[in-house]
Structures are given as structure tokens and as C-alpha cells.
Amino acid sequence: MTRLSIRRLTPELLDALPAMDRRAIGSRRDLVRLNRIMRHDAIMAGVLRAGANTPPRTMLELGAGDGTLMLRVARRLAPTWPRVAVTLLDRQDLMTDATRAAFADLGWRVKTIQADVFDMLTAASSDVYDAIAANLFLHHFEGAALRSLLAAAARRTPLFAAAEPRRAALALAGSRMIWALSCNDVSRHDARVSVEAGFKDRELSEAWPTDEAWSLEEQRVGPFTHVFSARREVT
Ligand SMILES: C[S@@+](CC[C@H](N)C(=O)[O-])C[C@H]1O[C@@H](n2cnc3c(N)ncnc32)[C@H](O)[C@@H]1O
């Protein structure tokens, strides 16, 4: 058994830091750069486009952070997916006025919800979304928590898309090199533990609920990314 055979969850430093902490601000800036380097905006836009039969009118992102990843996804999709109402959920309230304005410039309506993902998804609300996305988020959870998160998401959407760290030696090596990009200590720690908590093979498909007919796809994309999508089959 190698070090990466099984998932290992270690708390991420960024999750424990106050939003305005200097190291947290630096780490979120690093995250924006790392998402760009890994091309997660293009990857997420591609997975959503491939999974949607028609352009969504409503979308939800889980663990959306400062919203800049979804903004870059929106820039790619807006020419063919106009006037999407996108809801960004995160435990922290991180979106700037500039990001909000940039969504508006694209013609997308953006709403933020500051809440824990479980509280939001299991609330007695009947809100449903044409698509739900998660970027670098699902790896925070394992076991029963991961399965119940995915089951709650499945009840609220016919299309779920995730881009997560790939649990592989090359990705781990990459996470150890980000000092060369001047990433701070928080980012260096969190990048490594994210890979160790990341996914491979069919791990997300196996955690997805089985009570309805879903078309599931799961694969590596590039050296660092593990992609999962679930589309409810139309009967
Ligand atoms: C690694 S960051 C990714 C942010 C964003 N998706 C991106 O790619 O830039 C993970 C985010 O998940 C949020 N988060 C972690 N646990 C959460 C929970 N239980 N409920 C809601 N948000 C959570 C954190 O606040 C953080 O913004």
C-alpha cells in the first residue's frame, strides 16, 4: 500500500483562519493563481457544457470562495448561456463588489449565501438548480459526510459537476513545488493535504446516491485534476 492508496483528510489551514487574516488573504490569492494554472475554469466550463442538454437558468456553486473561479467559468459560458442566475455558497462571505459587478457585466445575476453546506442543502427549502458545481471543495469531506452531501445535492439538481485534486504522485510532487510560485505557507500546507484528500478512480461515483438513474462520468484531466459529473437520466 502506498501513501496515496487511501484518502487522508487533514484540516486545511485556510478553513481555520479568519477571512481578513493576512495569511488567509495571501492564500486565497494563491488559490486564484493555482486555479488558473490548473485551468479549472476551462475544465469546469467544459464539464458543465458537456452535461447540460439545454443552457441552465439557475446554478449553485458549493464552497465558492471569493467567486472568482465561477466568474471565469461564467466568462466562458455566458456567450451561449445568457442570463444565468448563479448562487454562490460559502461559509465565509468573500465576494468583492468588483466580482459582483463583473457577473452583472456578463448579464448573470449573482447571489451569495453565507452558510455551512449541510445547513443549506438540508434546509426545508424547495430550491432546485439546473446545475450544481463544486471546485476544490468535495475533498474536504469523506465517508458518510461526503455521501450525505452528494445525496442532498442530487435531490436539488439534474446536473452535478466537480473538479477536485487528483490523488496521485505527480500531483503531490506538484503541490510540493508551489513554493517556486511564491505561494505562502498556508497554501503550501493546504495544497499537499488537498492532494492527500483528493480523489482517483471511481471514488466519487461510488459515493453518489443510487436511488435514481444517473449517468456518471469520472476521470483525470491533466496532471492535477480529478473530474466528476452526474446527469440525471431522462426517462
Ligand atoms: C479550497 S477553497 C475553494 C474555493 C473556490 N471553490 C475556488 O476554487 O476558488 C474551499 C472553500 O470551501 C469553503 N468551505 C469549507 N467547508 C465548508 C462548509 N462546510 N460549508 C460551506 N463552505 C465551506 C471554504 O470557506 C473555502 O472558501
Side-chain angles (χ1 to χ4, degrees):
M1 187 181 284
T2 70
R3 172 174 185 180
L4 295 172
S5 301
I6 53 165
R7 297 187 61 213
R8 183 163 57 152
L9 255 67
T10 306
E12 295 186 21
L13 299 180
L14 183 58
D15 290 334
L17 290 171
M20 295 317 291
D21 179 277
R22 182 180 50 79
R23 289 160 71 225
I25 292 169
S27 183
R28 280 199 301 276
R29 202 175 298 133
D30 293 340
L31 190 56
V32 171
R33 283 192 300 147
L34 294 171
N35 267 326
R36 281 184 195 219
I37 290 167
M38 296 188 295
R39 302 192 68 250
H40 270 213
D41 56 332
I43 291 170
M44 180 59 78
V47 180
L48 287 167
R49 217 183 263 122
N53 294 326
T54 53
R57 306 307 307 266
T58 57
M59 285 214 310
L60 168 68
E61 186 187 358
L62 306 177
D66 62 9
T68 54
L69 185 278
M70 183 50 76
L71 175 61
R72 290 171 62 81
V73 173
R75 285 196 175 117
R76 291 177 177 273
L77 295 176
T80 48
W81 290 11
R83 294 182 297 284
V84 175
V86 65
T87 301
L88 303 182
L89 166 89
D90 202 281
R91 255 191 331 215
Q92 295 188 312
D93 180 15
L94 299 168
M95 182 179 282
T96 64
D97 289 344
T99 302
R100 198 175 287 281
F103 274 107
D105 287 346
L106 292 172
W108 282 31
R109 274 181 296 132
V110 66
K111 172 179 152 187
T112 53
I113 298 179
Q114 185 178 4
D116 183 88
V117 67
F118 291 98
D119 294 342
M120 191 266 180
L121 285 178
T122 58
S125 124
S126 54
D127 288 352
V128 290
Y129 302 88
D130 294 335
I132 296 183
N135 187 68
L136 302 180
F137 179 64
L138 298 181
H139 69 278
H140 286 76
F141 309 96
E142 65 178 341
L146 178 63
R147 284 193 299 278
S148 87
L149 192 165
L150 296 179
R155 286 193 290 276
R156 289 178 180 261
T157 191
L159 174 62
F160 183 89
E164 291 296 317
R166 176 172 169 247
R167 198 172 78 253
L170 190 55
L172 189 62
S175 74
R176 291 202 170 110
M177 296 299 294
I178 65 170
W179 59 267
L181 300 169
S182 305
C183 290
N184 74 10
D185 64 314
V186 174
S187 305
R188 294 198 299 271
H189 172 273
D190 287 357
R192 179 179 56 76
V193 302
S194 295
V195 171
E196 291 169 352
F199 298 97
K200 63 180 183 176
D201 303 328
R202 304 274 303 164
E203 289 172 338
L204 284 165
S205 302
E206 283 158 15
W208 191 257
T210 53
D211 55 344
E212 282 186 89
W214 290 86
S215 168
L216 306 180
E217 291 195 17
E218 185 162 5
Q219 63 204 316
R220 70 173 268 196
V221 177
F224 308 120
T225 306
H226 184 84
V227 157
F228 169 73
S229 70
R231 184 156 44 90
R232 190 182 286 132
E233 288 176 2
V234 182
T235 49

